[in-house]
Amino acid sequence: MSGQVIFIDDEAAIRQAVQQWLELSGFSVRTCARAQEALAIVDRGFPGVLISDVRMPDLDGLGLLEKLVALDPELPVIMVTGHGDVPMAVQALRQGAYDFIEKPFTPERLLDSVRRAQDKRRLSARTGSCGNSSPAKAASNRCCWASRGPWRTFAARCWSWRARTSTY
């Protein structure tokens, strides 16, 4: 089994097609018709990837993304939409989306994104949150590779360089 995926879309035919494709590709897939259903089953320890349509009744995909990032900033969330534009994609990525895919998409395009997101999730689970920490936090995190020996100096230089070159 490659990993877990939760797919949220209000269109039943799309849910079924994506579920079948991902399951044939080795993923364990759970589908939801509404964002609230997904929020009820996702917790901070969810080891997988979440894929959400943007336009849905009640809570839309961008609202769901906001709640998920607040719950777990490391959770990879892939947004899909048939009504997207560049500003919407930029907004989603700035809010923390892992990827933004326009419908109609090829199954291979979605599968590639899910596989990369799953790899990211596995890596973040192994390293904890040290990738988003300050050097002081990383140094105090005993499980973080950056807190050990010569890596501490290297990590401190990287974080310092990142802070100086950031254009946020």
Side-chain angles (χ1 to χ4, degrees), residues 34-165:
R34 301 277 188 267
Q36 296 296 350
E37 290 177 50
L39 285 172
I41 58 175
V42 174
D43 61 9
R44 186 167 179 78
F46 178 69
V49 176
L50 196 132
I51 306 167
S52 177
D53 188 17
V54 173
R55 287 208 178 159
M56 294 183 292
D58 304 322
L59 181 62
D60 70 2
L62 295 175
L64 173 63
L65 175 62
E66 185 178 330
K67 291 179 183 296
L68 291 169
V69 167
L71 175 69
D72 183 353
E74 297 295 319
L75 177 65
V77 180
I78 299 168
M79 306 300 296
V80 295
T81 187
H83 308 282
D85 54 20
V86 172
M88 181 188 290
V90 169
Q91 177 187 358
L93 294 172
R94 282 187 178 163
Q95 276 184 246
Y98 178 78
D99 200 355
F100 189 91
I101 300 173
E102 286 186 288
K103 292 178 185 175
F105 50 82
T106 64
E108 292 82 8
R109 168 71 173 95
L110 181 64
L111 183 59
D112 178 57
S113 185
V114 170
R115 284 183 174 147
R116 285 184 290 109
Q118 186 66 50
D119 289 344
K120 175 189 181 280
R121 187 61 168 170
R122 283 191 196 109
L123 182 62
S124 69
R126 274 188 266 158
T127 61
S129 62
C130 66
N132 293 327
S133 300
S134 67
K137 265 185 150 179
S140 69
N141 183 352
R142 300 252 183 250
C143 70
C144 181
W145 63 269
S147 68
R148 295 188 184 99
W151 288 110
R152 180 179 296 158
T153 304
F154 174 75
R157 287 183 184 152
C158 289
W159 278 299
S160 174
W161 177 81
R162 190 172 91 190
R164 286 193 315 265
T165 59

